[in-house]
């Protein structure tokens, strides 16, 4: 999967390689196609596993760049110019939410069957809210813990296997846990370390 396309666009782009030979000969192309044709066609048919729909306001106007999020999945989609979106999802029960700046958030619980011949249609209607009167008391998304990934806090340089720690060592480890995961790497560069990154504040 192409990292940039996945992280910064709505595209789930895949790169498939059948072997180490970058430029196969002409006589090898047709047998390779015959060996992998059914698999590639099945992969293309997987586009029907998921949902699609349109996000509009209460007057029927499409909302561009509305955010479509699925509970438990740390990757959101955004709507296109006409408020339409597509989202690949596995069969099962999902909680899908749509939100946009200046509008209220709407969530729906959907169930996708195991066999789908076409994407499920899930439309959203968002109501406008008064931005000045709205209070942003919750700065952390409600589904933050559902999106939590253990690798986010993993520190490969942390000392493991120590059961008994002195008071000073325990304080030092607690301070290390408060620092970001890249702290120990840049701190080990000596005089080449970027000091602007290592400021405590």
């Amino acid at each position: 999967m192409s990292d940039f396309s996945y992280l910064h666009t709505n595209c789930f782009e895949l790169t498939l390689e059948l072997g180490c030979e970058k430029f196969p000969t002409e006589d090898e192309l047709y047998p390779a196609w015959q060996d992998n044709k059914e698999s590639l066609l099945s992969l293309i048919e997987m586009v029907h596993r998921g949902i699609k729909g349109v996000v509009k306001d209460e007057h029927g106007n499409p909302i561009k760049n509305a955010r479509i999020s699925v509970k438990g999945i740390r990757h959101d989609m955004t709507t296109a110019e006409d408020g339409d979106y597509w989202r690949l999802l596995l069969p099962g029960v999902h909680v899908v939410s749509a939100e946009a700046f200046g509008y209220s958030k709407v969530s729906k619980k959907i169930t996708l069957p195991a066999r789908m011949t076409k994407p499920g249609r899930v439309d959203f209607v968002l109501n406008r809210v008064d931005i000045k009167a709205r209070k942003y008391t919750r700065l952390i998304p409600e589904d933050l813990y559902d999106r939590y990934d253990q690798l986010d806090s993993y520190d490969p340089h942390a000392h493991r296997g120590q059961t008994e720690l002195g008071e000073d060592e325990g304080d030092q480890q607690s301070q290390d846990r408060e620092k970001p995961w890249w702290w120990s790497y840049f701190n080990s560069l000596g005089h080449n370390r970027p000091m602007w990154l290592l400021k405590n504040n």
Side-chain angles (χ1 to χ4, degrees):
M1 175 169 282
S2 302
D3 295 342
F4 182 86
S5 299
Y6 179 76
L7 293 174
H8 302 285
T9 71
N10 289 338
C11 179
F12 286 3
E13 184 179 15
L14 295 175
T15 301
L16 302 177
E17 299 181 3
L18 300 179
C20 299
E21 189 175 355
K22 189 172 182 65
F23 301 104
T25 59
E26 183 178 351
D27 58 335
E28 295 176 322
L29 293 179
Y30 185 75
W33 164 248
Q34 291 296 325
D35 293 340
N36 299 277
K37 177 174 63 175
E38 292 300 325
S39 299
L40 290 173
L41 293 177
S42 298
L43 176 64
I44 294 174
E45 293 173 354
M46 295 288 286
V47 72
H48 297 298
R49 289 187 173 229
I51 59 174
K52 67 177 182 179
V54 180
V55 180
K56 298 181 179 181
D57 61 13
E58 62 267 31
H59 303 294
N61 301 315
I63 301 177
K64 177 184 176 182
N65 290 332
R67 184 172 297 278
I68 307 297
S69 59
V70 181
K71 190 174 183 180
I73 299 179
R74 298 178 45 181
H75 183 72
D76 299 339
M77 311 294 291
T78 54
T79 56
E81 192 76 27
D82 296 327
D84 51 335
Y85 74 93
W86 304 265
R87 185 63 171 88
L88 294 175
L89 287 174
L90 292 175
V93 180
H94 302 278
V95 177
V96 185
S97 302
E99 57 182 326
F101 183 76
Y103 296 88
S104 59
K105 181 178 180 180
V106 176
S107 299
K108 293 184 178 182
K109 186 176 182 180
I110 62 172
T111 301
L112 299 179
R115 294 185 178 181
M116 300 183 65
T117 57
K118 62 180 181 179
R121 183 68 183 263
V122 182
D123 296 331
F124 292 92
V125 177
L126 307 184
N127 296 320
R128 281 193 172 274
V129 295
D130 187 4
I131 299 298
K132 296 181 180 180
R134 186 174 179 180
K135 296 181 179 179
Y136 295 91
T137 56
R138 183 183 291 271
L139 299 178
I140 303 176
E142 296 178 359
D143 57 346
L144 174 66
Y145 296 101
D146 297 313
R147 301 183 180 192
Y148 174 73
D149 189 349
Q150 292 182 349
L151 292 179
D152 290 344
S153 59
Y154 174 72
D155 184 6
H157 304 288
H159 300 287
R160 305 185 186 280
Q162 297 179 355
T163 55
E164 296 183 0
L165 294 174
E167 184 176 351
D168 296 338
E169 294 178 356
D171 294 341
Q172 181 65 31
Q173 278 201 351
S174 62
Q175 293 177 5
D176 290 341
R177 290 194 189 98
E178 297 175 356
K179 296 180 174 60
W181 60 269
W182 45 261
W183 182 277
S184 57
Y185 170 75
F186 285 113
N187 198 33
S188 65
L189 296 178
H191 65 279
N192 294 324
R193 57 188 177 182
M195 297 306 299
W196 62 274
L197 272 176
L198 299 175
K199 292 182 179 179
N200 290 325
N201 54 359

